[in-house]
Amino acid sequence: MNPIERYAPLVADTDAFFAACERPLPSVVRVNTIKATVERVTDALDEEGVGYESIEWNDELLTFDERGPGTTWPYFHGWLHGQEEVSALPAMILDPQPGETVWDACGAPGSKTTQLSAMMDDTGIVIGNDNNLGRLSALRHNAERLGVTNLMVTKQDGRNFSLNGFGFDEFDRALVDAPCSCEGTVRKNPTTLEQWTLNHVHSVAAIQKGILSRAVQATKPGGVVVYSTCTFAPEENEAVIDHVLETEDCEVVAFDCPLDSVPGVTEWEDDTYDSSVTKTHRIYPHLNDTGGFYCAKLEVTK
Ligand SMILES: C[S@@+](CC[C@H](N)C(=O)[O-])C[C@H]1O[C@@H](n2cnc3c(N)ncnc32)[C@H](O)[C@@H]1O
């Protein structure tokens, strides 16, 4: 069975859902406001005769018509970064402010880390962490190409991240863009589901719970933690939120999702979850012609 089919009971229009999972993904870029403005980029693209369209909910995102962004001058200059539309959501929901101290717990290869830096006007501190050295090289490369200077790169296991030696002991905000079973990336990488097993879903859920717990612990009272995955499995989404609500000092906060979404589910197979997970958002590929995604916003209450 195609693992995606297990989610049919959660989706209203299953035909549209399955059909969207088969289609390739549009090519989207984010304007890197550390080096350029949207106007400067669109002027340059117009001069090159490259076709693009602005994305309604975020004018820093452009969909390319045909030509890949990597062959354009604005990309060469680091004015653009290839980033899927839905992947721009978590940083926007985290809403980091200039001068703050922000932890990106699972940062590589850096799409969201560099977006956080840009949103902070490249001020304050972003700690871009990951536990995978190869992927951290990609993060560093992307950060350098995009001209990011407020970034400290760390290689730690997010589950027991230590702040020793940093000179501060808590973050203003934290992003956990967690490792996951990646079911929602099937449009970008059709072979993803060949590796799928329920055992992997359960083992990665345990890692997600550990990283998200640490993010709540390491964030100041009243601070914000955003949790996101690119998968549909409730075991990796609502169940993870339900777990931290039980074990850590935090609550789910409602947010306006600029993309069409449906609320998180409170029941899945034999499990039930805290009713506040309905304030989290499931984004299915057919709703906005994007990848699949899940996003939750937490406020630290300790
Ligand atoms: C969804 S990807 C992150 C994508 C990244 N946020 C971006 O937008 O470019 C998840 C990342 O989690 C990292 N990871 C897996 N286990 C981890 C752990 N225990 N601690 C920290 N990072 C971990 C993986 O290496 C992977 O790079």
Side-chain angles (χ1 to χ4, degrees):
M1 181 178 112
N2 180 338
I4 295 285
E5 288 173 22
R6 81 191 276 261
Y7 307 114
L10 302 181
V11 181
D13 187 348
T14 46
D15 287 346
F17 172 51
F18 294 144
C21 288
E22 300 281 318
R23 283 198 300 273
L25 210 54
S27 171
V28 175
V29 290
R30 172 172 56 81
V31 173
N32 172 28
T33 54
I34 294 174
K35 282 198 171 180
T37 60
V38 173
E39 197 184 4
R40 192 169 185 195
V41 167
T42 52
D43 283 352
L45 293 174
D46 289 341
E47 253 177 58
E48 268 194 77
V50 177
Y52 62 88
E53 265 177 55
S54 298
I55 287 182
E56 211 182 293
W57 62 276
N58 182 338
D59 69 352
E60 290 170 9
L61 298 177
L62 306 174
T63 307
F64 271 50
D65 286 353
E66 288 163 17
R67 206 167 125 181
T71 61
T72 65
W73 277 112
Y75 189 89
F76 179 79
H77 288 303
W79 299 355
L80 292 177
H81 182 68
Q83 182 170 1
E84 222 196 290
E85 177 178 350
V86 74
S87 142
L89 180 68
M92 294 198 61
I93 302 309
L94 189 67
D95 194 25
Q97 300 300 307
E100 287 187 335
T101 302
V102 177
W103 185 35
D104 191 358
C106 309
S111 291
K112 298 176 192 73
T113 316
T114 54
Q115 183 186 6
L116 295 171
S117 290
M119 290 176 76
M120 294 161 66
D121 296 335
D122 199 25
T123 65
I125 303 173
V126 175
I127 308 282
N129 179 68
D130 204 278
N131 74 342
N132 180 313
L133 196 58
R135 289 175 65 92
L136 278 173
S137 301
L139 182 151
R140 288 184 52 174
H141 169 82
N142 282 323
E144 278 167 26
R145 194 178 71 79
L146 299 176
V148 171
T149 64
N150 71 341
L151 174 65
M152 288 169 72
V153 177
T154 58
K155 179 183 176 293
Q156 293 195 40
D157 186 326
R159 291 172 288 185
N160 38 45
F161 188 84
S162 166
L163 280 161
N164 281 346
F166 282 101
F168 56 85
D169 56 12
E170 56 190 9
F171 295 105
D172 294 304
R173 296 170 206 257
L175 174 62
V176 178
D177 184 42
C180 70
S181 58
C182 297
E183 296 159 348
T185 66
V186 64
R187 300 184 65 184
K188 189 167 63 181
N189 184 2
T191 59
T192 297
L193 299 176
E194 288 170 13
Q195 312 295 326
W196 189 96
T197 65
L198 192 54
N199 275 347
H200 179 241
V201 168
H202 286 300
S203 67
V204 83
I207 296 169
Q208 293 160 343
K209 287 173 185 168
I211 301 172
L212 185 57
S213 297
R214 184 67 194 117
V216 173
Q217 293 159 9
T219 301
K220 72 178 190 188
V224 177
V225 177
V226 167
Y227 177 76
S228 58
T229 71
C230 51
T231 206
F232 306 117
E235 294 92 335
E236 300 178 55
N237 294 329
E238 290 87 347
V240 175
I241 300 301
D242 186 70
H243 173 82
V244 293
L245 290 175
E246 270 185 22
T247 56
E248 305 299 332
D249 296 321
C250 62
E251 61 189 25
V252 182
V253 181
F255 65 91
D256 287 330
C257 185
L259 289 157
D260 286 344
S261 66
V262 296
V265 297
T266 54
E267 290 176 22
W268 173 245
E269 298 186 333
D270 294 332
D271 293 325
T272 57
Y273 310 124
D274 189 279
S275 61
S276 67
V277 301
T278 54
K279 296 180 196 165
T280 68
H281 294 254
R282 298 187 144 254
I283 298 166
Y284 293 111
H286 60 293
L287 298 179
N288 311 274
D289 195 19
T290 63
F293 217 71
Y294 175 78
C295 193
K297 181 177 181 180
L298 302 173
E299 185 177 312
V300 178
T301 55
K302 67 193 164 204

